[in-house]
C-alpha cells in the first residue's frame, strides 16, 4: 500500500460551506465553524475534505458563480481564516481540495465587467462574444439552466454565451490569457498548501467553435420537463437522443484534452497535488491529465441492486484498466451523493428499509475499489427537506423549475411547487444537524439559517445524540471507515465478483498481495445460507475466514464459508 498515493488511500468528505457550521451566528456556515468541527472530522476518520466554492460570489448559483478566484467569501471569513482551516486540517492529517470552476465566472467578476464594457478593451476576448444574427442571438443554443444560451450586452452590441445561468458567462478557453489567469489562481492556492482541486463541469469548458444550430426537435419546455423531472411523455431513449441533439455541440469537445494536459503541468509544479474532474468520462484520466473522475454511472439508477453494481463495476474497472496509465492504473472513484443530487438515504432508500439500506450503501462505497467521496450530513442519515413555500427556495435552479412548470408547462400552483421542491437542490443542501436544539444547533435560536433546517433533527438525526449511541449511523460510519483503513485489501485489492448470478446479494473479494477479504452485501430482506467455496464460485475461497465486520450481532472469530448464514440487509466482511 505504500506505493499508493494519498488520494488513492483517502476517504473524502465534501463540505458544503454555507451549510456546514456557523461560528459567527449569522445563519451562514463559515470557516471558523469548519475549524471548530475539524476534531469531529478527524474522529469520523476521513482523510481529505473537498470544500465546495469558498470564494467571493454573488451566490446566484450558491458559490459556483465566482467573482474573485484568489480570495475568500466574506460570509465565510478571511484568507487568514482559510489558512487556519487548512493548517488545522493538515495538523490532523486531513488534506484539503478546493473547487475549481473553469467554465465560467460570475458576471460580477472584474474580468467580465471589463470584457463587457466595450469591444476594444484588454479583456475583450476573455469571454465568448458573437455578433447578432438577423437581429437575434447567433444560434439556437440553450442554457442547461433554462432559456437561451445567449445574453445581449448593449455596450458591445453583442451577445455573450452562458451554458449555465446568465450570471455565469462562459470564459473563452481558446484565449491563452484566460488560461494563464486561471492557472495563476491554481498556483495561488497550491502555494498556500491546498492539496488539489475538484474541477467543476469540465465537459462544458469548450463548445464547438463554428457553433452550428442544434438539431433537437423538442421544445425547451418539453425537453426540460421530461429530461429533468423524469416525466414520461416520451420514451427515455427519445429524451436521451433529443438531449444529445440539443446540447451535443456545447459539451465534451476535443480541445479539453490539451487543456487538461496544460493544467496537469501546472499541478505537477507542486508535489503531491491531485485533480479530480466533475465528469464520468474516464478518457480525461491519464498520467498527464486528471488523476480521477467520478463514477457517476453508479448513481444513475433508482435502486442499487446487485446486478446493477456488478455491471457498473465490470464496465468501469475494465475501462479504467484499459487506459494508458502505469500501475496501479487509472484509479476509480465512487460516490453516491453530493450537493447536486438527492440525499443518499432518500435516493436509494425504498421508504421502508432506508436505515438498513443507508448502512449497506456506505459499506458498498467503502468496499468497492476506488476512492470514496462522502457528502456532509450523510453520516447521520440526513434526508431531503421538501420546501413548502417558493419564497424559501435559495437555489435559482429550483426557482426556475417552478417557473417552468407554472408558465412554461402551465401546471397549477400546487403541482408546480411540488415538482420544484422535489427537484431543487435546496432539499439536499440544508444545514448540518449538530444537536437536538433550535435550528439543530447550526445557528443561534433567534437567527434564521440561510436555508431552513430539516426538523428531523428532533428525532435523532443529529450529531450529538448519535455520538453517544454505539448503534447509531454515525458510529457505524466511524467503525467502517476505521475498518477500511486497517485492511489493505479494501483499499488496494482487486475487485473480484463471485456468486455473479445472485439477485438479492452482492458478493465479491478484494484481493491484494497482503490480504484477501470477502464482502457480502445482502440488499434484500431475505436470509441466505451460502456456500462461498462451491466449485461454481469463480474465485477460490477457503472453507474458513475470520469475521472482520458484520452489521448484525455475530460472535467474533471463525466463519464457516461452506454454509455462511447471511441475515436480511446484512453487511458481512470476512478476512480470508
Ligand atoms: C456543477 C456544480 O456541482 C453545480 O452545483 C453548479 O450549479 C454547476 N456545476 C455550474 O457551476
Ligand atoms: Ca456564519
Amino acid at each position: 500500500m505504500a506505493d499508493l498515493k494519498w488520494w488513492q488511500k483517502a476517504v473524502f468528505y465534501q463540505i458544503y460551506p454555507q451549510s456546514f457550521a456557523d461560528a459567527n451566528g449569522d445563519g451562514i456556515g463559515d470557516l471558523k465553524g469548519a475549524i471548530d468541527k475539524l476534531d469531529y472530522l478527524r474522529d469520523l476518520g476521513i482523510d481529505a475534505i473537498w470544500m465546495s466554492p469558498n470564494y467571493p460570489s454573488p451566490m446566484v448559483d450558491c458559490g459556483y458563480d465566482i467573482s474573485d478566484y484568489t480570495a475568500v467569501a466574506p460570509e465565510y471569513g478571511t484568507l487568514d481564516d482559510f489558512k487556519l482551516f487548512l493548517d488545522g486540517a493538515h495538523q490532523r492529517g486531513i488534506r484539503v481540495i478546493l473547487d475549481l470552476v473553469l467554465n465560467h465566472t460570475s458576471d460580477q467578476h472584474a474580468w467580465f465587467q471589463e470584457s463587457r464594457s466595450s469591444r476594444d478593451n484588454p479583456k475583450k476576448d476573455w469571454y465568448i462574444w458573437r455578433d447578432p444574427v438577423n437581429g437575434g442571438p447567433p444560434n439556437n443554443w440553450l442554457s442547461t439552466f433554462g432559456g437561451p444560451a445567449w445574453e445581449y450586452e448593449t455596450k458591445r452590441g453583442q451577445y455573450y454565451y452562458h451554458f449555465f445561468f446568465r450570471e455565469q458567462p462562459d470564459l473563452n478557453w481558446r484565449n491563452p490569457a484566460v488560461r494563464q489567469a486561471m492557472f495563476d489562481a491554481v498556483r495561488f492556492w497550491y502555494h498556500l498548501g491546498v492539496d488539489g482541486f475538484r474541477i467543476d463541469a469540465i465537459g462544458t469548458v469548450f463548445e464547438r467553435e463554428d457553433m452550428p444550430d442544434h438539431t433537437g426537435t423538442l421544445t425547451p419546455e418539453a425537453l426540460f420537463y421530461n429530461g429533468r423531472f423524469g416525466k414520461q411523455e416520451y420514451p427515455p431513449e427519445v429524451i436521451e437522443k433529443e438531449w444529445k441533439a440539443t446540447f451535443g455541440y456545447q459539451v465534451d469537445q476535443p480541445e479539453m484534452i490539451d487543456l487538461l494536459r496544460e493544467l496537469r503541468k501546472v499541478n505537477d509544479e507542486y508535489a503531491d497535488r491531485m485533480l479530480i474532474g466533475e465528469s464520468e468520462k474516464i478518457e480525461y484520466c491519464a498520467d498527464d491529465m486528471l488523476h480521477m473522475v467520478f463514477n457517476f454511472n453508479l448513481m444513475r439508477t433508482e435502486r442499487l441492486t446487485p446486478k446493477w453494481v456488478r455491471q457498473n463495476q465490470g464496465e468501469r474497472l475494465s475501462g479504467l484498466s484499459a487506459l494508458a496509465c502505469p500501475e496501479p492504473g487509472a484509479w476509480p472513484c465512487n460516490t453516491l451523493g453530493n450537493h447536486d443530487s438527492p440525499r443518499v438515504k432518500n435516493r436509494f432508500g425504498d421508504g421502508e428499509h432506508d436505515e438498513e439500506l443507508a448502512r449497506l450503501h456506505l459499506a458498498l462505497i467503502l468496499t468497492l475499489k476506488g476512492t470514496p467521496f462522502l457528502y456532509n450530513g450523510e453520516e447521520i442519515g440526513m434526508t431531503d427537506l421538501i420546501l413548502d413555500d417558493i419564497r424559501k427556495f435559495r437555489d435559482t435552479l429550483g426557482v426556475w423549475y417552478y417557473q417552468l412548470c407554472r408558465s412554461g408547462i402551465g401546471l397549477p400552483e400546487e403541482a408546480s411547487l411540488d415538482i420544484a421542491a422535489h427537484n431543487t437542490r435546496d432539499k439536499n443542501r440544508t444545514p448540518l444537524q449538530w444537536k437536538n436544539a433550535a435550528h439543530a444547533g447550526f445557528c443561534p435560536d433567534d437567527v434564521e439559517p440561510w436555508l431552513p433546517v430539516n426538523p428531523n433533527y428532533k428525532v435523532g438525526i443529529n450529531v450529538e445524540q448519535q455520538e453517544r449511541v454505539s448503534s447509531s449511523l454515525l458510529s457505524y460510519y466511524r467503525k467502517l471507515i476505521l475498518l477500511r483503513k486497517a485492511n489493505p485489501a479494501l483499499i488496494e485489492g482487486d475487485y473480484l465478483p463471485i456468486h455473479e448470478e445472485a439477485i438479492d446479494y452482492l458478493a465479491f473479494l478484494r484481493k491484494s498481495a497482503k490480504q484477501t477479504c470477502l464482502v457480502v452485501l445482502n440488499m434484500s430482506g431475505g436470509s441466505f445460507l451460502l456456500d462461498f467455496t462451491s466449485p461454481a464460485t469463480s474465485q477460490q475461497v477457503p472453507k474458513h475466514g475470520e469475521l472482520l465486520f458484520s452489521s448484525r450481532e455475530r460472535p467474533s472469530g471463525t466463519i464457516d464459508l461452506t454454509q455462511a448464514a447471511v441475515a436480511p440487509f446484512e453487511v458481512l466482511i470476512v478476512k480470508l
Side-chain angles (χ1 to χ4, degrees):
M1 196 148 79
D3 295 345
L4 292 188
K5 305 273 194 246
W6 67 267
W7 47 269
Q8 295 174 303
K9 295 185 265 190
V11 173
F12 277 77
Y13 180 96
Q14 180 189 358
I15 289 186
Y16 194 67
Q18 290 207 93
S19 285
F20 189 60
D22 173 21
N24 70 348
D26 63 356
I28 301 172
D30 46 55
L31 286 162
K32 286 209 167 97
I35 292 169
D36 294 344
K37 300 298 180 191
L38 283 171
D39 284 343
Y40 167 75
L41 294 177
R42 178 201 55 207
D43 296 347
L44 184 59
I46 58 110
D47 309 281
I49 292 167
W50 154 30
M51 172 86 95
S52 274
N54 56 301
Y55 318 98
S57 162
M59 294 282 171
V60 174
D61 189 15
C62 283
Y64 284 89
D65 47 325
I66 298 170
S67 52
D68 183 350
Y69 280 77
T70 54
V72 167
E75 315 82 288
Y76 298 159
T78 63
L79 194 57
D80 283 336
D81 294 332
F82 178 81
K83 288 181 193 160
L84 287 175
F85 168 75
L86 186 64
D87 286 349
H90 284 167
Q91 278 159 22
R92 291 165 180 81
I94 298 174
R95 314 256 182 165
V96 177
I97 69 166
L98 299 183
D99 226 304
L100 183 63
V101 184
L102 297 181
N103 177 64
H104 48 270
T105 68
S106 160
D107 63 349
Q108 301 305 308
H109 196 296
W111 299 342
F112 186 70
Q113 293 295 323
E114 188 173 345
S115 190
R116 82 187 319 177
S117 66
S118 68
R119 284 193 187 214
D120 55 7
N121 68 75
K123 296 205 169 44
K124 63 181 190 308
D125 293 328
W126 280 45
Y127 293 81
I128 300 180
W129 294 99
R130 291 286 185 279
D131 288 331
V133 172
N134 302 325
N139 67 19
N140 64 357
W141 289 3
L142 297 175
S143 154
T144 187
F145 281 178
W150 297 99
E151 190 68 18
Y152 188 66
E153 170 56 64
T154 43
K155 285 190 222 123
R156 290 182 59 136
Q158 283 184 312
Y159 285 87
Y160 68 85
Y161 171 74
H162 58 95
F163 186 73
F164 297 98
F165 295 121
R166 67 164 70 85
E167 294 87 349
Q168 293 169 298
D170 276 45
L171 283 160
N172 174 15
W173 278 93
R174 293 189 174 92
N175 180 345
V178 167
R179 297 185 180 217
Q180 282 322 310
M182 197 65 87
F183 294 163
D184 284 345
V186 169
R187 291 187 180 103
F188 173 87
W189 294 105
Y190 276 173
H191 186 71
L192 285 186
V194 164
D195 298 287
F197 285 98
R198 172 263 193 193
I199 304 165
D200 186 67
I202 61 171
T204 66
V205 169
F206 287 97
E207 39 295 314
R208 238 178 79 159
E209 205 170 11
D210 55 346
M211 299 196 158
D213 272 354
H214 76 68
T215 55
T217 58
L218 286 184
T219 63
E221 288 79 11
L223 183 70
F224 285 117
Y225 187 62
N226 287 276
R228 283 280 163 82
F229 311 142
K231 300 293 170 194
Q232 304 267 308
E233 294 170 335
Y234 304 87
E237 315 82 71
V238 171
I239 295 299
E240 206 189 314
K241 215 173 123 230
E242 280 293 329
W243 199 270
K244 280 200 185 123
T246 308
F247 288 111
Y249 295 139
Q250 294 170 255
V251 294
D252 291 318
Q253 298 299 307
E255 288 97 324
M256 198 60 212
I257 300 291
D258 274 345
L259 174 60
L260 290 180
R261 290 198 173 119
E262 279 183 47
L263 180 60
R264 176 62 177 260
K265 279 196 191 124
V266 175
N267 183 83
D268 291 354
E269 289 168 14
Y270 299 79
D272 237 8
R273 314 298 158 106
M274 188 275 295
L275 300 172
I276 176 165
E278 192 213 359
S279 170
E280 66 277 359
K281 286 200 173 302
I282 57 176
E283 303 85 278
Y284 293 146
C285 292
D287 287 342
D288 59 353
M289 291 192 271
L290 298 180
H291 298 86
M292 295 192 286
V293 292
F294 293 96
N295 176 13
F296 289 135
N297 298 339
L298 181 64
M299 299 167 70
R300 299 210 169 100
T301 178
E302 295 283 301
R303 279 298 296 277
L304 292 162
T305 62
K307 187 176 169 206
W308 173 265
V309 177
R310 265 181 228 121
Q311 193 180 328
N312 168 271
Q313 290 300 295
E315 286 167 12
R316 196 78 189 162
L317 294 173
S318 60
L320 284 166
S321 60
L323 292 179
C325 295
E327 285 300 313
W331 196 252
C333 172
N334 299 300
T335 188
L336 291 177
N338 56 49
H339 65 295
D340 292 329
S341 60
R343 289 274 180 191
V344 177
K345 204 168 170 190
N346 293 92
R347 177 161 183 167
F348 300 114
D350 64 358
E352 219 180 305
H353 308 99
D354 292 355
E355 182 70 26
E356 291 94 326
L357 288 170
R359 288 173 192 238
L360 270 164
H361 295 148
L362 175 72
L364 176 71
I365 286 299
L366 292 184
T367 58
L368 285 179
K369 182 167 183 180
T371 300
F373 270 67
L374 311 174
Y375 177 50
N376 62 192
E378 192 184 303
E379 71 275 19
I380 51 168
M382 280 180 64
T383 58
D384 289 343
L385 178 67
I386 304 304
L387 297 172
D388 56 8
D389 184 340
I390 191 67
R391 286 168 302 188
K392 293 182 185 161
F393 282 46
R394 294 293 171 269
D395 176 13
T396 315
L397 191 57
V399 175
W400 174 65
Y401 287 161
Y402 175 78
Q403 287 158 354
L404 174 74
C405 291
R406 280 300 273 147
S407 335
I409 316 283
L411 294 181
E413 155 75 32
E414 208 179 314
S416 302
L417 180 61
D418 187 63
I419 291 179
H422 280 88
N423 289 283
T424 172
R425 300 169 298 178
D426 285 328
K427 67 181 182 310
N428 47 275
R429 294 175 173 179
T430 59
L432 226 292
Q433 295 164 206
W434 293 104
K435 55 184 173 189
N436 186 2
H439 305 311
F442 171 75
C443 61
D445 304 10
D446 54 348
V447 169
E448 276 309 308
W450 79 281
L451 249 187
V453 172
N454 193 320
N456 64 13
Y457 70 83
K458 293 176 195 150
V459 291
I461 304 189
N462 68 70
V463 170
E464 193 181 76
Q465 281 181 295
Q466 293 196 18
E467 270 185 326
R468 285 193 239 121
V469 181
S470 66
S471 59
S472 69
L473 188 60
L474 178 59
S475 304
Y476 173 87
Y477 263 67
R478 288 180 176 169
K479 264 181 242 158
L480 266 196
I481 293 173
L482 260 183
L483 181 90
R484 179 185 153 92
K485 273 206 180 120
N487 289 283
L490 297 180
I491 297 173
E492 63 186 9
D494 288 335
Y495 161 89
L496 304 167
I498 59 171
H499 285 213
E500 288 179 71
E501 301 305 315
I503 292 170
D504 296 308
Y505 63 90
L506 178 74
F508 56 89
L509 305 182
R510 294 293 311 279
K511 188 172 185 176
S512 72
K514 295 176 206 120
Q515 193 193 37
T516 302
C517 291
L518 164 68
V519 178
V520 186
L521 304 175
N522 183 0
M523 298 179 161
S524 79
S527 308
F528 303 98
L529 195 63
L530 300 174
D531 179 1
F532 291 109
T533 66
S534 77
T537 299
S538 44
Q539 302 291 328
Q540 283 250 309
V541 175
K543 287 198 163 57
H544 294 97
E546 185 197 329
L547 178 69
L548 279 181
F549 180 84
S550 167
S551 56
R552 295 292 182 128
E553 292 288 316
R554 262 187 191 266
S556 59
T558 305
I559 291 208
D560 180 353
L561 296 173
T562 64
Q563 42 174 349
V566 178
F569 299 108
E570 181 171 2
V571 172
L572 176 63
I573 306 176
V574 181
K575 188 158 86 178
L576 303 185

